[in-house]
Amino acid sequence: MTDISYTPPQSGSRMAKIVLRWGLYLMLGVFILFYLMPLFVMITTSFKSLDEIRTGDLISLPREVTLEAWRTAWSEACTGIQCEGVRPYFWNSVLIAIPAVLISTLIGALNGYVVAQWRFRGANLFFALMLFGCFIPFQVVLLPMARMLGLMGMAGTIPGLIFVHVIYGLGFTTLFFRNYYVSIPSELTKAAKVDGAGFFRIFWSIFLPLSLPIIVVTVIWQFTQIWNDFLFGVSFSQAGTQPVTVALNNIVNSTTGVKAYNVDMAAAIIAALPTLFVYVVAGKYFVRGLTAGSVKG
C-alpha cells in the first residue's frame, strides 16, 4: 500500500514574503520622496511669482505658472556689479568643460593603453603615482597650480581652467582606461605587432574602437566633475572667465532688497540641467562601462 503524504500549502511563509516585499517598496518610496523633495521644491518655486511665494505653501503647486524668474535668472540676475544673468557664465562652463573632457579622455586612454599593454620598467610605479593623484584634495594643489598658471601666463583665463581640469582628471581617466584595457588579451597586441602595426596604429585601429563603454564612463565622470566644480572656478578665474557655479553663488549671495527665491531656484536648475541631461541620456551606460572591464585585472 502506497503511503501518500499531504503537504499543506505554506500560506504563512508566502504571506510573510508579500509583506516583506511591500514593506521594502514602501521604504524605497519614502527614500525616493525624501530625495526628490528638494528638486520638487526648486522646480515649483521657480515657476511661482514672489507674491505667491510669500503667501503660499512651500510645497504647493504654483497657482499661476510664470517664466519670469527663468528669464531673469538667464539674462538679468545680478552676479555682483553686473546684471547679465547666468548666460555668459553658462557658456564659459561649456567652453571649459568640453575641451577639458576631450583632452583628458584622450590622454587617459593613451596612458591606460601604455600601462596595460606596453609593459615597461616602472609601469606599476607610474600607475601608482597616477592613482595617487586621484586622492589628493583640491585644496592641496591650489597654491602650486596658481604658481604654475602664473609662470605659464594662463592665470585667470579659460585655457588655464581647462589645463587645471585636464591635469587633475588624468588620474581618474588613466585608472578607468587601464582597468578596461587589462581585460583585452595581450595576444591581440602581439599579433598586431607581428603584422607590422606600430604603437599608434594598434591604438587607433584596435583599442579605441573597442573603448566605447569606458569612453562613455569617462565622459560622464569628467563632465560632471568639471561642470559642478566650484573651487577651481573661483580660485583660478577672473571677471569674464568665471564658470556657472561661481555665478550661481554670486547670484544667491549678492541679492539686495527683496530676496528673489524663484530666481535663485531657476538659476540653480539652469546650472544643473547639463549634468542632469547627460545622466538621463547616458546614465544607463555608466554602470555597464564600469563593469565591462572587471573580468580581468
Side-chain angles (χ1 to χ4, degrees), residues 142-187:
L142 288 181
L143 290 179
M145 190 64 74
R147 177 64 175 167
M148 182 62 66
L149 291 177
L151 293 175
M152 297 171 62
M154 300 172 66
T157 65
I158 288 181
L161 283 171
I162 294 173
F163 177 78
V164 169
H165 287 296
V166 168
I167 295 300
Y168 197 84
L170 280 181
F172 293 100
T173 58
T174 301
L175 171 65
F176 293 154
F177 280 98
R178 181 265 177 190
N179 290 346
Y180 185 81
Y181 288 152
V182 164
S183 65
I184 299 177
S186 59
E187 288 76 12

Side-chain angles (χ1 to χ4, degrees), residues 184 188-189 191-192 197 200-211:
I184 299 177
L188 196 62
T189 303
F200 287 104
R201 178 65 181 274
I202 296 174
F203 176 73
W204 290 108
S205 300
I206 299 177
F207 280 82
L208 203 59
L210 297 174
S211 304

Side-chain angles (χ1 to χ4, degrees), residues 21-273:
R21 183 182 299 126
W22 282 103
L24 179 61
Y25 291 159
L26 179 61
M27 182 176 64
L28 291 176
V30 172
F31 288 159
I32 291 173
L33 289 176
F34 180 79
Y35 183 79
L36 293 180
M37 185 57 68
L39 180 61
F40 173 78
V41 172
M42 289 175 61
I43 294 175
T44 55
T45 302
S46 67
F47 289 112
K48 296 178 181 178
S49 64
L50 280 178
D51 293 336
E52 184 176 351
I53 293 174
R54 286 194 293 264
T55 59
D57 189 7
L58 181 65
I59 61 175
S60 63
L61 295 173
R63 294 191 295 266
E64 182 179 354
V65 175
T66 175
L67 298 177
E68 182 64 24
W70 289 77
R71 185 182 64 81
T72 302
W74 178 249
S75 60
E76 296 180 6
C78 296
T79 57
I81 60 175
Q82 296 179 334
C83 297
E84 301 174 336
V86 299
R87 177 174 55 188
Y89 307 95
F90 182 93
W91 295 120
N92 284 344
S93 289
V94 172
L95 294 176
I96 294 169
I98 292 180
V101 168
L102 295 178
I103 295 172
S104 60
T105 299
L106 179 59
I107 298 177
L110 284 169
N111 288 342
Y113 167 60
V114 170
V115 174
Q117 297 290 331
W118 293 74
R119 307 297 297 175
F120 59 92
R121 181 176 296 179
N124 292 332
L125 177 61
F126 172 79
F127 178 65
L129 293 176
M130 293 292 295
L131 189 61
F132 179 73
C134 299
F135 302 99
I136 299 178
F138 283 16
Q139 295 82 355
V140 174
V141 301
L142 288 181
L143 290 179
M145 190 64 74
R147 177 64 175 167
M148 182 62 66
L149 291 177
L151 293 175
M152 297 171 62
M154 300 172 66
T157 65
I158 288 181
L161 283 171
I162 294 173
F163 177 78
V164 169
H165 287 296
V166 168
I167 295 300
Y168 197 84
L170 280 181
F172 293 100
T173 58
T174 301
L175 171 65
F176 293 154
F177 280 98
R178 181 265 177 190
N179 290 346
Y180 185 81
Y181 288 152
V182 164
S183 65
I184 299 177
S186 59
E187 288 76 12
L188 196 62
T189 303
K190 295 177 182 178
K193 291 180 182 178
V194 171
D195 291 338
F199 177 87
F200 287 104
R201 178 65 181 274
I202 296 174
F203 176 73
W204 290 108
S205 300
I206 299 177
F207 280 82
L208 203 59
L210 297 174
S211 304
L212 182 58
I214 202 63
I215 288 176
V216 172
V217 171
T218 306
V219 168
I220 292 176
W221 175 273
Q222 280 295 93
F223 184 81
T224 303
Q225 296 297 314
I226 295 171
W227 188 274
N228 291 336
D229 170 70
F230 174 78
L231 185 60
F232 288 160
V234 76
S235 301
F236 302 131
S237 65
Q238 60 185 8
T241 63
Q242 294 172 334
V244 70
T245 50
V246 177
L248 177 61
N249 176 76
N250 293 340
I251 288 176
V252 174
N253 293 315
S254 64
T255 302
T256 58
V258 179
K259 184 66 174 176
Y261 291 104
N262 51 354
V263 175
D264 294 346
M265 298 300 180
I269 296 173
I270 291 173
L273 278 178

